[in-house]
Amino acid sequence: MVEHAPSALARSRRDPAAFSAFYEREAPRMVVFFARRVLDPEAALDLTAETFAAAFASRRGFRGREEHQARAWLRTIADRQLAAYLRRGYADRAMRRRLGVERPPATPEELQRVDELAALATLRDAVARELLELPDGEREAVRLRIVEELEFANVAGRLSISEAAARQRVSRALRRLADRLGPIDEEAIA
Amino acid sequence: MSVEEPRIEDFPSLAAFGEALVASPATRRRPWPFLGGVALLPLLGLVAVTTASTAAGLTVLTGSPIPPPLRADDTASVRPTAGTAWLSEVRADDPAGGPAWTVRVARGPAGETCVVAGQVRGGRFGIVGRDRRFRDLPDEYGGCASPPLPGRPIVAMRAVAPKVQGWERPVGSSVLHGVGGPELDEVVVRPAIEPAHRLQIGRDGTFAAVLHGLPDQAQPRVELRWRDGRRRTLDFRQPSVVPDPLGARPWIVEATSRETVVERRRDRRPPPSITCFGVLGGEWFGASACGMSRREAWVVQVERASRPVVRQAGPRARWFASATWAHPSRTLVLVRARPGAAVTVAARGRRWPVRWSGSAGGGGRRSDAGWTAVLPPGVSAREVRVQVARGGRVATSRVVGRDPGQAANGGRR
């Protein structure tokens, strides 16, 4: 049986500097992962930074050894960040605050690069097409929440429905969109 | 679809973040075990307030949508009531070329008047962040107070930090805004360095102006007058913080005097005055310098990458600058006088802002107090006129020095 070298994440449990190698390899992929889900380059960079801040702070809790285990562990953190983002509408920054580390603002060139690497233009076209297929009420709810970035309470006010109903409507519409667009192939960028 | 493999070099902000992250202490010990129970509760309160205020500020600046204040960490007891807000028609140009600034007025839950400054783009009210994106400002944002009356306006300043900070580059701006009621007739703003100007007044006495520099640098006086002749002046000056004459970061100056009981018995001359200064926002201990003199007024030339040079400070002047001066070159005028004196400093055809910068402590005479002005670089002591008035009477009015070429001390200890 072939014994693989321990992943950089595993090494970083004792040697924080080893985290750099893990970060440099995985962070760019993570940006694309988030960008294709939130369609917003700035939010994708924020989510990536918060995910890695959480990973760095809790790296001693990683029990795996190999690279694929490290990726799975990181993906779990990323999924939680994404779920919180979709629920609240903004990227969490609790871990960055705790560590006292901020991401500098991105330049327009950097945001453009995220757009290109995640092929967001193509994805946006597809989303726009599929949006038109949604029932009117759901399409409007998604527009208010995702495009106008309104709070759920304001979405509810605009649609004259309860806040719970607004949350449900947006969630249902996003699920429907995800089903229609099909799974996003992560291997294409891995 | 072929997709290119992303690399960390594609994302400079993330690359910088990664370096800072690995250099950071990953898990900080909580300080609670080291604190006494008495100190714990006030500290928790402070943390809550700080978190609430910085959370909003950072979100605005780094790119996520602006969330309304969360109930859990909202420490303000009064917030604007949603649906009551209206926008003033006054507009102030944004110096960075962004959307114009205005003031939004709303009602509070008990009839208070609430104001918040923001930018207007396409009929929407919001803020442009450092990432240059415009975001709506939720209805719940704003500070509230009793409704304005003649003589009782609501006036506030909002700091707008620049995207790039530097010692001598533009250091942001301040949006002065407020509401004085329908009887408000005139508002004149006198920033510390920039010329005074009269503001446009909108419905219900609303007004807005964008001033150069953050509030520490702008430090304006706002003079308001109502139709019934009532007047009110609001002063945003800050003690110990001296505006920079060329619009860079403001200076922070602390003055005290040093005298022991033994020295007072031996020496009947005034005790030496010790003044320490630095640039606000800099490393106070690393970049500041301190000096000591027995003179009533003295002029200091601080020059980049050298130790401060003292002009006309006398043979007994001492300097304690331990590091090279990395901040801009300027001329400092340091004055000592009795508390309550009105000190003015004039040079090159104008008066310069003077700030009280401390009084005697640690054994010094209680009657000693220090004032400081910061002037452009290269102003010689011969050009500086200091006037000290007390009770409306000018006690001292004189030129500080003779010829700067005759400096008694060239900065050497």
Side-chain angles (χ1 to χ4, degrees):
Chain A
M1 186 175 146
V2 180
E3 174 108 2
H4 294 287
S7 78
L9 179 62
R11 283 184 281 121
S12 76
R13 286 192 295 243
R14 288 177 182 280
D15 175 16
F19 192 85
S20 293
F22 180 66
Y23 178 85
E24 286 179 11
R25 193 178 54 250
E26 297 300 329
R29 294 171 175 164
M30 192 56 72
V31 175
V32 174
F33 167 85
F34 281 125
R36 305 204 77 197
R37 281 156 180 81
V38 300
L39 303 181
D40 179 341
E42 184 80 43
L45 291 167
D46 265 349
L47 286 165
T48 303
E50 185 67 14
T51 297
F52 276 91
F56 184 65
S58 54
R59 67 189 187 281
R60 291 190 186 88
F62 172 59
R63 297 283 173 251
R65 185 173 188 281
E66 295 185 14
E67 209 54 64
H68 71 274
Q69 293 170 318
R71 276 190 186 174
W73 184 77
L74 185 71
R75 174 67 184 265
T76 307
I77 298 174
D79 283 343
R80 285 185 190 152
Q81 295 292 339
L82 181 63
Y85 173 86
L86 294 175
R87 194 171 59 247
R88 288 186 301 223
Y90 59 93
D92 197 4
R93 54 186 326 105
M95 197 53 72
R96 280 173 283 171
R97 262 206 305 266
R98 181 180 151 198
L99 297 179
V101 182
E102 285 297 334
R103 181 179 64 80
T107 60
E109 293 75 30
E110 186 173 356
L111 298 176
Q112 178 64 32
R113 193 72 182 123
V114 176
D115 216 284
E116 289 166 6
L117 287 166
L120 290 189
T122 312
L123 201 55
R124 282 194 194 102
D125 289 345
V127 170
R129 271 198 313 275
E130 294 302 331
L131 261 177
L132 292 175
E133 300 295 318
L134 288 177
D136 290 350
E138 288 183 13
R139 186 169 60 245
E140 184 61 3
V142 168
R143 190 187 70 76
L144 292 171
R145 175 65 182 150
I146 309 294
V147 181
E148 301 260 321
E149 299 181 345
L150 295 182
E151 286 299 303
F152 277 112
N154 294 336
V155 174
R158 294 271 187 99
L159 298 177
S160 302
I161 56 176
S162 70
E163 189 173 331
R167 286 179 186 275
Q168 204 173 21
R169 198 175 279 188
V170 172
S171 167
R172 194 167 50 230
L174 290 176
R175 266 203 313 276
R176 209 191 296 262
L177 270 179
D179 289 346
R180 287 180 180 175
L181 289 166
I184 297 168
D185 183 11
E186 301 307 330
E187 293 308 313
I189 56 152
Chain B
M1 176 170 51
S2 76
V3 182
E4 192 181 343
E5 171 79 12
R7 297 168 307 141
I8 194 68
E9 294 78 21
D10 292 316
F11 312 114
S13 77
L14 272 186
F17 175 80
E19 287 173 17
L21 180 65
V22 174
S24 74
T27 48
R28 286 182 182 161
R29 285 185 186 279
R30 294 174 185 229
W32 315 140
F34 304 102
L35 296 173
V38 176
L40 189 60
L41 281 177
L43 184 66
L44 282 173
L46 181 67
V47 169
V49 171
T50 308
T51 306
S53 56
T54 53
L58 290 173
T59 311
V60 170
L61 297 175
T62 56
S64 293
I66 305 168
L70 296 175
R71 287 240 177 267
D73 60 11
D74 185 8
T75 53
S77 56
V78 181
R79 286 282 174 204
T81 305
T84 63
W86 56 271
L87 277 190
S88 168
E89 68 272 34
V90 298
R91 298 288 183 270
D93 289 341
D94 183 69
W101 289 84
T102 189
V103 56
R104 184 173 69 187
V105 184
R107 250 198 337 273
E112 301 90 345
T113 297
C114 310
V115 295
V116 62
Q119 292 167 283
V120 184
R121 173 180 282 172
R124 290 166 61 195
F125 181 77
I127 294 278
V128 175
R130 282 186 185 175
D131 58 356
R132 299 178 191 160
R133 288 177 62 193
F134 181 89
R135 294 178 181 81
D136 291 336
L137 207 51
D139 285 353
E140 294 87 343
Y141 275 102
C144 303
S146 299
L149 293 170
R152 279 176 41 195
I154 301 173
V155 184
M157 274 208 289
R158 177 181 195 118
V160 184
K163 183 161 181 169
V164 179
Q165 301 250 15
W167 296 118
E168 286 189 282
R169 289 181 189 176
V171 285
S173 53
S174 304
V175 183
L176 178 86
H177 60 285
V179 55
E183 295 300 309
L184 185 66
D185 195 34
E186 185 182 71
V187 180
V188 175
V189 180
R190 299 184 190 281
I193 299 294
E194 310 291 314
H197 55 284
R198 183 174 287 112
L199 303 188
Q200 176 198 357
I201 297 178
R203 176 186 154 199
D204 269 2
T206 48
F207 54 90
V210 182
L211 310 179
H212 175 88
L214 295 175
D216 290 328
Q217 167 68 17
Q219 297 195 33
R221 278 164 64 93
V222 186
E223 299 167 359
L224 304 101
R225 184 167 55 80
W226 285 263
R227 292 205 178 89
D228 64 0
R230 216 174 299 208
R231 291 172 182 274
R232 180 75 186 269
T233 299
L234 298 169
D235 202 335
F236 286 87
R237 283 185 296 185
Q238 297 178 31
S240 293
V241 179
V242 191
D244 185 83
L246 301 183
R249 291 190 183 212
W251 294 63
I252 183 159
V253 186
E254 289 181 0
T256 185
S257 70
R258 186 190 69 84
E259 183 188 46
T260 64
V261 174
V262 175
E263 282 174 322
R264 196 181 305 161
R265 284 178 184 159
R266 273 192 205 150
D267 192 349
R268 301 193 67 79
R269 289 180 302 166
S273 170
I274 300 175
T275 302
C276 297
F277 58 85
V279 174
L280 200 64
E283 294 294 330
W284 174 246
F285 292 104
S288 69
C290 297
M292 187 167 80
S293 171
R294 291 180 185 275
R295 284 179 168 256
E296 288 181 349
W298 38 311
V299 173
V300 179
Q301 303 285 351
V302 288
E303 292 166 9
R304 188 192 287 278
S306 70
R307 297 176 68 180
V309 177
V310 184
R311 305 282 188 209
Q312 305 293 336
R316 296 199 60 167
R318 294 284 186 273
W319 278 96
F320 313 111
S322 57
T324 56
W325 184 256
H327 302 308
S329 303
R330 296 288 186 268
T331 304
L332 269 69
V333 179
L334 311 168
V335 182
R336 56 189 291 177
R338 298 179 76 100
V343 177
T344 55
V345 173
R348 295 191 175 175
R350 65 161 289 180
R351 282 187 179 183
W352 297 93
V354 181
R355 295 290 179 269
W356 178 90
S357 44
S359 57
R365 290 182 187 172
R366 290 207 175 276
S367 59
D368 287 330
W371 281 264
T372 306
V374 181
L375 280 55
V379 179
S380 75
R382 194 173 49 171
E383 298 176 80
V384 177
R385 174 170 288 277
V386 172
Q387 182 172 298
V388 178
R390 210 171 291 122
R393 189 175 63 85
V394 176
T396 312
S397 178
R398 66 187 183 85
V399 174
V400 175
R402 293 161 295 175
D403 189 335
Q406 298 170 7
N409 182 319
R412 293 176 294 278
R413 296 181 60 170

